[in-house]
Amino acid sequence: MRALYMLLLALCFLASQIAPGAGLVNLFRRYPEYDCAKKGGTCNFSPCPRFTKAEGSCYRGRARCCV
């Protein structure tokens, strides 16, 4: 029974292999909307409100991150 579990564990490890060179960077990629909110800003389709400045973009470049 123990050998069966070891074989199953080995099969799971083989099936979950990431392609060489892919790295872990793309697995945990954050969206620009998340980064904007983390900075305390908002994503606006219209110009930024007074006393804020545009720092980056959101929604594939259609909106601005206003901080």
Side-chain angles (χ1 to χ4, degrees):
M1 191 69 160
R2 183 180 274 174
L4 181 62
Y5 286 126
M6 294 302 284
L7 287 173
L8 184 61
L9 181 66
L11 181 65
C12 288
F13 281 135
L14 286 174
S16 67
Q17 286 291 318
I18 299 174
L24 295 176
V25 175
N26 290 334
L27 288 178
F28 301 109
R29 188 178 140 273
R30 303 243 186 231
Y31 288 98
E33 296 83 19
Y34 176 83
D35 293 333
C36 183
K38 188 100 173 166
K39 288 190 247 179
T42 58
C43 293
N44 295 333
F45 288 100
S46 59
C48 292
R50 274 190 176 164
F51 309 115
T52 61
K53 59 182 176 179
E55 287 188 9
S57 62
C58 303
Y59 304 114
R60 298 183 182 162
R62 293 187 294 244
R64 295 176 191 87
C65 175
C66 300
V67 180

